[in-house]
């Protein structure tokens, strides 16, 4: 007796297999696209963090300048005030006047540094926005 094999070559049985292949192909394509999208988002986040770190470094430099100016208040201007203005007014008052000038310089640098530091955002804003868009698209891809 001859064995009867299932009809694999007919259109009725072939269509579900092609459909399964196309669904698996679509799933693998979507997975690959999501992996690429995720990698790109991570790279964008890294770039934003580098940019913010650079801005924070500049603001920290301003704080360093303010600290150095404060040091200069203690060292050079105290001596200059005592020696220079001691001829005009009492030595103590002379030192106080010069120190006040350097204190104003230090305060100005501090305020500028603080203002720049307020503009620094540790959160990668553009990446968060695009991730929200991606999540919205994943929930409703036809919109």
């Amino acid at each position: 007796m001859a064995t009867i094999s299932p009809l694999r070559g007919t259109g009725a049985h072939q269509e579900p297999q092609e459909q399964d292949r196309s669904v698996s192909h679509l799933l693998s394509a979507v997975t690959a696209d999501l992996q690429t999208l995720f990698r790109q988002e991570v790279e964008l986040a890294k770039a934003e963090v580098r940019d913010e770190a650079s801005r924070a470094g500049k603001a920290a430099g301003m704080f360093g300048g303010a600290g150095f100016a404060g040091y200069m208040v203690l060292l050079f201007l105290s001596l200059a005030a005592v020696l220079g203005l001691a001829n005009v007014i009492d030595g103590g008052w002379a030192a106080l006047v010069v120190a006040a000038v350097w204190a104003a310089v230090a305060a100005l640098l501090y305020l500028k540094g603080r203002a720049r530091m307020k503009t620094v955002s540790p959160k990668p804003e553009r990446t968060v926005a695009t991730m929200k868009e991606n999540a919205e698209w994943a929930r409703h891809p036809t919109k």
Side-chain angles (χ1 to χ4, degrees):
M1 280 197 159
T3 60
I4 301 175
S5 62
L7 299 174
R8 292 188 181 186
T10 65
H13 291 287
Q14 194 171 6
E15 189 175 314
Q17 287 178 347
E18 286 179 14
Q19 208 172 26
D20 288 345
R21 280 190 203 133
S22 66
V23 168
S24 65
H25 176 68
L26 286 174
L27 285 176
S28 66
V30 167
T31 302
D33 288 346
L34 285 174
Q35 288 174 344
T36 302
L37 179 63
F38 181 73
R39 274 189 235 111
Q40 289 173 344
E41 293 296 335
V42 167
E43 288 300 316
L44 177 61
K46 286 180 184 178
E48 282 189 73
V49 168
R50 276 192 299 268
D51 183 48
E52 292 299 317
S54 172
R55 292 173 63 196
K58 290 176 183 175
M62 292 279 189
F63 283 128
F68 181 71
Y71 174 74
M72 298 304 287
V73 168
L74 294 176
L75 182 63
F76 292 111
L77 293 178
S78 295
L79 291 174
V82 171
L83 297 175
L85 293 176
N87 295 328
V88 179
I89 58 175
D90 190 38
W93 288 108
L96 185 62
V97 168
V98 174
V101 169
W102 277 104
V105 170
L108 179 66
L109 286 173
Y110 171 78
L111 291 174
K112 288 186 97 173
R114 187 177 71 174
R116 282 217 180 156
M117 189 59 86
K118 285 182 179 181
T119 65
V120 173
S121 172
K123 185 170 80 172
E125 300 289 339
R126 292 179 296 208
T127 302
V128 170
T130 58
M131 290 298 279
K132 285 181 182 177
E133 289 174 10
N134 295 341
E136 184 63 31
W137 177 84
R139 280 188 234 122
H140 307 287
T142 58
K143 283 188 177 181

